[in-house]
Amino acid sequence: MKRIDLKVGFRCNNYCRFCVQGDKRESLPAKDVSELYASLEEGRREGATGLVITGGEPTLHKSIVDVVRRARELGYELIQVQSNGRSFCYEAFCRRLIEAGVNEFGPSLHGSTPELHDWLTAAEGAFLQTVSGIRLLKKLGQRVITNSVITKSNYRDLPALARLLVSLGVDQFQFAYMHMSGRAAQNGRWLAARKSLIEPYVKRALDVGIAAGRTVMTEAIPYCLMSGYERYVAERVIPSTRIYDAGMVVADYTAARKQEGKARGPRCTQCAWHEECEGPWKEYPEMFGWSEFEPVRVKEGAQARCAD
Ligand code: SF4
């Protein structure tokens, strides 16, 4: 186990239409700082050197700076705050996080315009705050890695979003196909796009980042829909992670994803990627079926690009 993912609470100032957390924001209080410290200590005892602080929106937790400081004292080397990014527009707050020990920031941006991002997050003004936050963090010399959720509403915008992210100076960006759980499950019928439809836009957006020398990734898009871009499949490199969730611990997130979260189809055993591939989130074929997942005969594309 290399990394822990610490969920500090589920309050949030966005109301994303693809949020996987369902009604946890209403039903669960923020975790007490003593519980958070205990999780940090257990993680270190088990050998983790990486920490991702997340939620909900973790920057709304009143003790977040203390949690970061405690993590640094315990010896965590990588300390990332994964956030909707709105709080990062406040310079004094960012400086406190950096001084306490944060060395990687993970804001989310889901569209290249205020209209699109604010609509997807159901939060007027969110785009302006998150973009300002990214600019500020880069001005402060911080490493910024972003996540963007792919939906039917924004897949055509991905190349423009990639251009914006490059211009903002992000170090890495990732496009993650929406996981139809929580509110995303309620909205899935009209918000989820077919993966074969998004494929050319995802690849054009990745090309923007690749040409600019940025690290780029995709998540929850299997290899058969990433022909020529297989090296950018994030599941290849996601580190071994334990999740401290609400009232429960997921000891091995990779195993949980493979055994419970994802699914493989009836023809996947014929595929050259069968061993490595996790398949799509299981809700996807329940909605769209398996016809788009064409078994790959040889891994030629990946080898050619991996040798770059
Ligand atoms: S194993 Fe199945 S889902 Fe994965 S790449 Fe092959 S055909 Fe696609």
Side-chain angles (χ1 to χ4, degrees):
M1 200 259 295
K2 292 203 167 13
R3 185 178 286 196
I4 68 166
D5 181 310
L6 184 63
K7 298 191 186 306
V8 299
F10 295 93
R11 277 177 63 211
C12 189
N13 50 347
N14 279 2
Y15 207 82
C16 298
R17 299 177 197 274
F18 46 76
C19 179
V20 297
Q21 300 295 359
D23 62 0
K24 288 182 188 169
R25 69 171 73 205
E26 286 96 24
S27 55
L28 295 170
K31 286 185 187 170
D32 188 77
V33 77
S34 59
E35 179 184 350
L36 296 170
Y37 285 3
S39 300
L40 290 174
E41 287 158 15
E42 184 177 81
R44 281 295 292 138
R45 275 200 305 277
E46 301 286 328
T49 54
L51 166 67
V52 178
I53 302 174
T54 179
E57 174 47 44
T59 62
L60 301 182
H61 195 290
K62 65 179 173 22
S63 300
I64 185 168
V65 176
D66 296 329
V67 170
V68 172
R69 194 171 291 118
R70 182 74 186 124
R72 176 60 78 205
E73 286 167 3
L74 287 166
Y76 284 94
E77 292 162 10
L78 177 125
I79 303 177
Q80 182 197 122
V81 176
Q82 208 171 79
S83 162
N84 63 34
R86 297 179 63 180
S87 301
F88 298 154
C89 72
Y90 300 106
E91 182 162 349
F93 177 65
C94 290
R95 287 187 183 278
R96 286 174 65 213
L97 287 177
I98 295 163
E99 280 160 22
V102 175
N103 51 18
E104 194 168 85
F105 289 83
S108 298
L109 194 65
H110 308 292
S112 69
T113 64
E115 290 76 16
L116 184 50
H117 178 83
D118 291 2
W119 185 81
L120 279 166
T121 57
E124 198 177 338
F127 177 88
L128 187 59
Q129 287 188 312
T130 298
V131 168
S132 302
I134 295 171
R135 277 205 184 95
L136 173 62
L137 290 168
K138 290 312 299 177
K139 188 186 90 178
L140 296 175
Q142 296 303 300
R143 178 170 160 76
V144 176
I145 66 174
T146 63
N147 187 52
S148 309
V149 176
I150 306 169
T151 68
K152 196 184 272 183
S153 303
N154 67 351
Y155 74 89
R156 295 178 202 83
D157 182 62
L158 294 177
L161 177 56
R163 287 192 290 278
L164 173 62
L165 293 168
V166 166
S167 75
L168 291 171
V170 305
D171 300 275
Q172 173 182 315
F173 63 75
Q174 171 177 282
F175 298 126
Y177 188 84
M178 67 182 277
H179 182 189
M180 282 177 270
S181 176
R183 194 169 312 118
Q186 294 162 15
N187 295 336
R189 286 278 155 210
W190 55 267
L191 192 57
R194 276 194 174 273
K195 293 192 180 185
S196 50
L197 210 57
I198 68 168
E199 181 183 342
Y201 294 90
V202 170
K203 289 178 175 177
R204 273 169 42 206
L206 293 179
D207 284 340
V208 172
I210 295 164
R214 310 303 159 86
T215 304
V216 297
M217 289 194 195
T218 59
E219 197 185 328
I221 307 176
Y223 295 93
C224 52
L225 291 153
M226 290 288 289
S227 176
Y229 292 76
E230 295 89 343
R231 66 182 296 187
Y232 306 110
V233 170
E235 285 84 348
R236 292 171 74 134
V237 294
I238 296 176
S240 164
T241 303
R242 170 181 294 174
I243 299 179
Y244 289 91
D245 207 324
M248 62 174 285
V249 175
V250 179
D252 181 348
Y253 181 52
T254 304
R257 275 198 321 275
K258 287 182 177 169
Q259 290 160 18
E260 296 157 34
K262 305 270 186 83
R264 254 99 60 86
R267 294 189 296 153
C268 287
T269 51
Q270 303 162 26
C271 179
W273 289 104
H274 183 248
E275 287 297 317
E276 295 98 322
C277 181
E278 296 184 3
W281 292 114
K282 67 176 194 254
E283 294 82 3
Y284 183 89
E286 287 168 10
M287 183 176 295
F288 293 113
W290 284 106
S291 61
E292 297 164 282
F293 301 88
E294 197 63 46
V296 176
R297 289 186 191 281
V298 281
K299 298 178 182 174
E300 280 171 3
Q303 283 158 2
R305 291 193 75 91
C306 287
D308 291 348

